[in-house]
Amino acid sequence: MPFRCAVLDDFQNVARSVADWSVPGEEVEVVSFTEHFGEEDELATALADFDCVVTLRERVAFPASLLDRLPRLRLLIASGMRNSVIDFPAAKANGVTVCGTLSASTPPVELTWALLLGLARGLVQENTALREGGPWQSTVGADLHGRRLGLLGLGKIGGLVARVGLAFGMEVSAWSQNLTEERAREVGVRRAASKEELLSEADFVSVHLALGERTRGLLSAAELALLKPTAYLVNTSRAAIVDQEALLAALREGRIAGAGVDVFDVEPLPAGHPMRTAPRLLATPHLGYVSRANYEQYYGQAVENIRAYLAGSPVRVLG
């Protein structure tokens, strides 16, 4: 019987083409699922006959209730080396080894700037008008040079975003609960005295924090009210860091100039979700990590994990 591996949320159907899934001396059958399973019952049924599951980021939760229904599962591989939606004690209790893969920081950095620049220069509106015979020049772009970029988080991704901002000639400040003066000096930015100061002074705010108890709902209606009416907010991190209803209200009421969002409270975004039609919103379907080089790393290392597991020496073990 072959070692059967399911690849979840392979929306572009590329997992098998960006990596060599062969395992010397072993027969491995790889099945890609291009549609998302939104319900636990669907997952339990679809994955019942698989020894291994490869899941993207934190899109699919693996609680004890699901793991208990997958007696054949032996190996669970998640892209990235951190995952908050896998029940690691339950996985261990069910004899499931959990492994991760490395994830590049540059793709989300690049998408952050794509969103920020798209907002600042009205690229979607202008492109649509040009294609559809609309007005020639209908927006007035927001300048970056000399304006303040406020970063919530100055880790690996936030630091790279900061350096691009500095290259544009922006004044860059940053804040997080753990940010030190030493780290701010290392990157060459100003450490804001408080979250409130950063939000009230910034012309552009970009979120680069990990989701946890301290960051969930960090930007509520009260924090969003501190933003200038000319300010833009970009979130390529996690949707739950920003109060989604408060953000929608701010966009609808024109209390901020716009937002660029790559992450949502429900993914994939349902057809009737208000984020699909919100004004002043530039949105992308969680493309932050979606690049060829990153996929080659994800799936290439997933294969390495399978080979190591079958050889009896698992690597990149999580939990």
Side-chain angles (χ1 to χ4, degrees), residues 33-240:
F33 292 97
T34 58
E35 299 295 326
H36 179 70
F37 296 113
E39 302 295 332
E40 185 174 302
D41 287 344
E42 293 179 322
L43 278 164
T45 299
L47 302 180
D49 295 326
F50 286 93
D51 304 281
C52 171
V53 173
V54 178
T55 181
L56 273 177
R57 311 301 294 169
E58 296 171 321
R59 181 166 289 122
V60 176
F62 282 84
S65 56
L66 174 59
L67 292 165
D68 290 345
R69 298 169 69 181
L70 301 175
R72 182 168 167 175
L73 183 64
R74 298 155 58 193
L75 178 63
L76 177 58
I77 301 171
S79 58
M81 292 300 293
R82 178 173 54 194
N83 195 294
S84 64
V85 298
I86 295 173
D87 187 328
F88 290 101
K92 183 177 181 180
N94 281 278
V96 177
T97 300
V98 183
C99 298
T101 73
L102 299 180
S103 181
S105 300
T106 48
V109 172
E110 293 166 0
L111 184 70
T112 294
W113 280 102
L115 290 171
L116 195 152
L117 288 166
L119 287 167
R121 299 310 296 266
L123 294 187
V124 174
Q125 301 96 305
E126 295 291 1
N127 178 259
T128 300
L130 186 146
R131 288 178 172 273
E132 297 180 355
W136 184 262
Q137 298 181 355
S138 61
T139 64
V140 177
D143 296 281
L144 271 60
H145 185 87
R147 300 300 175 92
R148 181 165 296 280
L149 171 64
L151 299 175
L152 290 168
L154 197 64
K156 187 180 296 184
I157 293 175
L160 291 172
V161 171
R163 291 187 170 98
V164 177
L166 293 170
F168 272 117
M170 302 183 79
E171 298 177 3
V172 183
S173 59
W175 177 89
S176 73
Q177 291 157 323
N178 298 324
L179 180 60
T180 63
E181 290 284 358
E182 181 182 16
R183 171 59 179 167
R185 284 196 300 270
E186 176 189 341
V187 180
V189 307
R190 181 173 71 85
R191 178 177 173 270
S194 66
K195 173 181 60 176
E196 291 74 17
E197 178 187 277
L198 180 137
L199 294 172
S200 62
E201 292 183 349
D203 299 295
F204 299 87
V205 174
S206 191
V207 181
H208 302 289
L209 294 165
L211 180 62
E213 290 306 311
R214 295 195 301 172
T215 59
R216 186 178 299 274
L218 186 73
L219 296 188
S220 66
E223 282 77 25
L224 293 177
L226 297 173
L227 293 171
K228 302 174 184 178
T230 54
Y232 295 90
L233 174 68
V234 175
N235 186 8
T236 57
S237 183
R238 290 291 184 270

